[in-house]
Amino acid sequence: MIERRTFLRTAVTVTIGMALSGCSSGDTGEQNGTDDENGGVTDVDVGPEGRLRFEPEAVEIAVGDTVSWTALSEGHNVTSHPDASPKCENPEGAEPFTSYEGDDHFAIMAVDETFEHEFTVPGEYVYVCTPHAGQGMVGTVTVSE
């Protein structure tokens, strides 16, 4: 069922991207799940099939693009806040992002909850699921100009 949900989400994203880009040029602007022409959104699954991982674990986007994380199983969050884990890194001048409010770095997302963050500073961001960082639940977002 999760695989079907992922397929449907991807199909909808591609369809919307094609519609927004006009479809006439034959080039939809799609690359790695983003629509570069309109400021893209890249989807990342959090805990797919109950696994302790982000899927995909690494994404490449452009400045101004957004990453959308959706919790597909219980007990996860998303953060690049250095106080949450020493594994977290942000480019100089970039504010950390968190799927939760405040400093409760172990606050978790509800299943099917989505968290989005727009990236405005280029560089490499390393983020974790705080409850599972020790088990290797780490992802990266590389933002280029």
Side-chain angles (χ1 to χ4, degrees):
M1 181 166 194
I2 293 173
E3 292 174 341
R4 180 174 183 242
R5 181 181 305 157
T6 301
F7 172 78
L8 291 173
R9 183 181 309 130
T10 302
V12 168
T13 301
V14 169
T15 302
I16 291 171
M18 289 174 59
L20 293 175
S21 66
C23 301
S24 61
S25 70
D27 177 43
T28 65
E30 292 286 328
Q31 179 179 11
N32 294 332
T34 65
D35 180 352
D36 296 328
E37 184 176 316
N38 297 303
V41 176
T42 298
D43 294 317
V44 175
D45 292 337
V46 180
E49 300 171 352
R51 294 177 292 150
L52 303 180
R53 62 175 298 165
F54 297 103
E55 195 172 288
E57 291 179 348
V59 296
E60 296 182 23
I61 62 171
V63 169
D65 286 352
T66 297
V67 175
S68 176
W69 291 268
T70 301
L72 299 181
S73 59
E74 295 179 4
H76 305 293
N77 68 15
V78 177
T79 182
S80 72
H81 201 292
D83 290 345
S85 170
K87 296 178 182 185
C88 293
E89 298 177 18
N90 299 282
E92 187 174 330
E95 291 292 320
F97 55 86
T98 62
S99 61
Y100 49 87
E101 297 292 325
D103 294 328
D104 183 3
H105 301 300
F106 285 89
I108 59 172
M109 301 168 71
V111 174
D112 293 326
E113 180 180 346
T114 297
F115 165 68
E116 293 186 345
H117 180 74
E118 179 182 352
F119 290 83
T120 58
V121 177
E124 184 175 270
Y125 298 76
V126 179
Y127 65 92
V128 302
C129 166
T130 309
H132 302 113
Q135 288 90 3
M137 195 165 176
V138 179
T140 60
V141 177
T142 303
V143 182
S144 58
E145 294 189 61

